[in-house]
Every structure is written in C-alpha cells, then in structure tokens.
C-alpha cells in the first residue's frame, strides 16, 4: 500500500468513526441518513467503476465484469436514493443482506487462507462477529434504533480494521535477476 493510499484509508476511517458516533448520538435520524449516504456512495463508486471500464478495463480480460458491476452499483445507488423516504424496513433489509454477505465472505476467505497457510484467525473472527451482528439484527429487526446501533458497531469495526491496515508494515518481495 502506497503512502497516498494509506492517507486515503486513514481519512476514510476517520470519517467512518465520526459518522458512527453521530449516528450513536442521534439514532432516530439513522435509517434515512444511512440510505442517503449509502446511495450516494454506491452511485459514485458505480460512476468511478464505469469510468475505469471506459478508460482501461475495456481492454482487459474480464473487463465486461467491471462494466456489469458498475451498472449494478449505480442501479443500487439510484434505487436507494429514490426509496430513502419509503420505509425503515428497507434500510434494515439492506443492512441484514450486507451483514450476511460480509460475514459469509469473511468466513470463506478465512477457510481459503487456512488452506494456504496464511493468517486466517482474524478474518474468521471478523466473519463470526459479523454473523453474530446479523443474528442480533434479525432478532431486533422491528426496532430501528437497535438496527442503527448494529450498523454503528459494524462501521466502527470496519474503521478499526482499516486503521490497522494503514499502520501495518507492507512486505516487500524482491525478485532476483
């Protein structure tokens, strides 16, 4: 990870921590704010991916998958922005789906890392914690403030892992000629 990427990740994680604490202070405004922030983020990331496809990925192997991903992300972003006034249940459904996907991916990646002999324990713990948050969120799915608290815990955890990655020393591998 280069210095610019480290600075970018540090700034993003600081914003995530601030956003989580603002939501913890005012949880009653949580669901619409979460929808707007995620909608805007998905829309901008979809536009960024589409620009990446148009400039470089169109010539790459698997470039079409970048195009499909960008269209899907923009579609989800527009859908979230158009329905943020609709229902708090929609926010909770998105959050539960996000937690389920994230936990499953973390556990599968931990099992792959274990087969390869790499460090897998922290990734497995992250997957289990995410699944536990999913279970708590499913139990309290009718209470919007509890779902906001679950979202804030996940956001703080994600920010902490980003900060750890920023300060982790990057391994340098030299290939002899």
């Amino acid at each position: 990870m280069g210095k610019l990427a480290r600075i970018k990740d540090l700034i993003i994680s600081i914003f995530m921590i601030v956003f989580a604490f603002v939501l913890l202070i005012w949880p009653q405004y949580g669901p619409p704010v979460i929808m707007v922030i995620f909608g805007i983020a998905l829309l901008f990331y979809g536009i960024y991916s589409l620009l990446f496809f148009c400039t470089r990925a169109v010539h790459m192997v698997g470039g079409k998958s970048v195009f499909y991903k960008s269209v899907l992300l923009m579609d989800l972003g527009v859908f979230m922005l158009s329905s943020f006034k609709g229902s708090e249940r929609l926010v909770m459904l998105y959050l539960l789906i996000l937690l389920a996907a994230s936990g499953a991916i973390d556990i599968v990646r931990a099992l792959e890392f274990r087969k390869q002999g790499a460090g897998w324990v922290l990734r497995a713990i992250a997957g289990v914690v995410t699944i536990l948050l999913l279970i708590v969120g499913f139990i309290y799915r009718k209470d919007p403030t509890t779902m906001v608290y679950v979202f804030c815990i996940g956001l703080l955890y994600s920010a902490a892992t980003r900060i750890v990655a920023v300060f982790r020393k990057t391994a340098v591998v030299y290939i002899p000629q």
Side-chain angles (χ1 to χ4, degrees):
M1 182 183 303
K3 288 183 182 180
L4 202 58
R6 289 180 192 269
I7 291 170
K8 180 189 74 148
D9 276 354
L10 186 63
I11 290 171
I12 288 172
S13 60
I14 289 171
F15 279 127
M16 289 168 70
I17 291 170
V18 168
F19 182 63
F21 281 122
V22 167
L23 284 179
L24 285 173
I25 293 170
W26 295 294
Q28 67 271 17
Y29 302 116
V33 171
I34 291 170
M35 289 285 279
V36 169
I37 295 293
F38 269 111
I40 291 171
L42 284 172
L43 187 63
F44 281 132
Y45 189 66
I47 291 170
Y48 170 78
S49 295
L50 187 62
L51 290 175
F52 175 71
F53 169 76
C54 291
T55 56
R56 287 186 272 174
V58 71
H59 304 292
M60 293 171 34
V61 174
K64 283 186 180 179
S65 66
V66 173
F67 174 71
Y68 295 140
K69 180 182 84 169
S70 65
V71 170
L72 180 68
L73 289 174
M74 286 190 305
D75 186 39
L76 285 174
V78 168
F79 180 70
M80 286 182 82
L81 286 174
S82 67
S83 64
F84 82 95
K85 285 279 191 183
S87 164
E88 292 177 347
R89 302 223 180 212
L90 189 60
V91 177
M92 293 178 218
L93 178 67
Y94 282 146
L95 180 59
L96 290 175
I97 290 171
L98 178 71
L99 287 173
S102 177
I105 289 170
D106 280 343
I107 290 174
V108 168
R109 288 183 71 193
L111 293 174
E112 287 177 7
F113 286 172
R114 184 176 178 198
K115 287 179 186 176
Q116 296 171 358
W120 60 275
V121 175
L122 290 177
R123 176 128 354 233
I125 291 172
V128 169
V129 167
T130 306
I131 296 296
L132 289 175
L133 284 174
L134 171 69
I135 292 169
V136 169
F138 188 74
I139 291 170
Y140 295 106
R141 68 184 178 273
K142 296 188 190 265
D143 184 20
T145 56
T146 305
M147 290 300 290
V148 170
Y149 292 145
V150 168
F151 176 76
C152 290
I153 291 169
L155 202 59
L156 288 172
Y157 178 76
S158 178
T161 57
R162 276 182 179 260
I163 290 173
V164 167
V166 163
F167 292 111
R168 183 177 297 147
K169 192 167 190 158
T170 306
V172 178
V173 178
Y174 292 102
I175 301 173
Q177 293 184 359

